[in-house]
Amino acid sequence: SADGGRNLSLDSIPMGLPMSDPTAWATAMNNLGMAPMGMTGQSLLPDFDPALGMMTGIPPINPMMPGLGIVPPPIPPDMPAVKEIIHCKSCTLFPPNPHLPPPATRERPPGCKTVFVGGLPENGTEQIIMEVFEQCGEVIAIRKSKKNFCHIRFAEEFMVDKALYLSGYRIRLGSSTDKKDTGRLHVDFAQARDDLYEWECKQRMLAREERHRRRLEEERFRPPSPPPVVHYSDHECSVVAEKLKDDTKFLEAIQTLLTWIERGEVNRRTANNFYSMIQSANSHIRRLVNEKAAHEKEMEEAKEKFKLALSGILVQFEQIVAVYHSASKQKAWDHFTKAQRKNISVWCKQAEEIRNIHNDELMGIRREEEMEMSDEEIEDPSEMKETEESVLVSQVEALKEENDSLRWQLDAYRNEVELLKQEQGKASRDEDTTKEQQMKLLQQALQGMQKHLLKVQDEYKKREAELEKVREEKLKIETLLENLKEQESSTSRVCACSQEKECPVEKTLNNSPVKSEREVLLVGIISTFLHVHPFGASIEYICSYLQRLDSKICTAEVEVLMTRLQNTFRQELSGVGASLEKRWKFCGFDGLKMT
């Protein structure tokens, strides 16, 4: 039928009709991007280059781009498109008026391989349409309508661009001038479901290829997965322990040890093995610290070398700038030409800028070194004491941790001895001999551990005694400083009174309520504390302050001392009912007048 689409395969038909104008035919076929061929198949122009798709010496009027499927670029205005008469077997195509604007087309659908052809002659047949448009490429199907138009589907997208070139041509069947045998062709893009489906399939295929390519790229750059960690056994434990001692295999071994601990492989039987591996990991810290120190030393040497090289460069820059300045003096400057003077001044300016940049860099390095030196100045003596105390405290804590670890290890050895004793009766005689050897070894190890434990405990007691002495000395120094500050104002009065009344003072000293130097220090500290609390303070508050200085001070001792000194401290009751509270106040200034 005329409306149904179908595939056409035309046999070669002998064309014996003569061509009226072979040159016009060759020009038209060249404009279509095809090799100029005659009706019988022979080449019309021997200088046609099939690789370039154009005749030598003739510029391409409408260059096509096969396989790209895009609209060709517009023709430049200085190269007019010359369309000439095209002679076919059954019809003739006459070009449109070159001064008219190009025919309008709709927006190109994606993957378009089908064109709409309108303005066909009423007497036009599918054979004539095939004869005209098969020059543009392989035609897959023609669907002709009864209303003088049809749809043509090509094999490739670039063939549609060639078919659009024929838009605007007037067609005449044979030599007839009848209206039914003439028409004006209008070629435009057509939207077909088959074209869209093929284009979508092609896009999906390209997307799949792109995803596959990206996946391969990601897999190529993805880091390899770590090897699985082996399960714990005595043999693997010995292997990991050896690796922990090797710097090159330490990372692998420490990862295995971490995995075993997280899996819960530590128990009473394997605790000693794990402790030895953890001890090996701890010893690796020293190697890391030494390595860091070596790198820091290399960095300092490199800095020093860079500083020396930079200073040498600056010396050379200074000499070059001095040469420029001496050349700029009038004695030598007058002998240079204008161009030479300009070059010398430019060079001098550039050299001074570079010298200033390098000089600033060197000064910055020296400034950094001075700041580092200022940070390393000697600290105050009080800070030195605090650091010594902190060092002692840290040493005591380390000894405590080591003591605890030795105790745990001793318990582990005892448990192993008990297990060996239980298994001794069940095993054979050969096993008994080996167990006895193990028992001896374990007993020797226990004796050594006990000796080491006793040494650690003695050292721990010595360090605690030293720490206690340091604390007492610090407390005495602080109390003496506070008493000296308070007694500076009253030294003159005390001296005068002591000269006038030596004998009464001796008697009062014998009958004084303060019986020791320790009580004198306590009175001074309590007086200073209550002096800054004008509304008084409870005995618990006062003792809490004193116990910070000396933990051996008790509340009863302080209360008895303050009760004996009635002219210095006074007890008052404040509050009503349940809120009744006893407060001590300092009344030394009033008591001085009374005595």
Side-chain angles (χ1 to χ4, degrees), residues 168 171 215 299 304 316 322 443 538 588:
I171 184 171
R215 194 179 301 113
M299 186 176 70
E304 192 66 26
Q316 296 179 16
Q443 286 175 357
S538 63

Side-chain angles (χ1 to χ4, degrees), residues 31 67 98 219-220 266 272 276 283 321 350 410 452 464 475 511 564 586:
N31 291 339
E219 289 178 357
R220 190 163 66 89
V266 184
N272 295 329
S276 63
S283 63
V321 171
Q350 291 177 352
L410 188 60
H452 187 61
E464 277 189 341
L475 180 61
N511 300 325
R564 289 204 306 261
F586 177 71

Side-chain angles (χ1 to χ4, degrees), residues 19 22 43 218 239 241 251 260 271 276 279 302 347 386 394 444 446:
M19 286 189 298
S43 177
E218 290 175 0
V239 172
L251 285 176
W260 284 348
S276 63
Q279 201 170 11
W347 294 339
E386 291 178 0
S394 62
Q444 291 176 1
L446 279 172

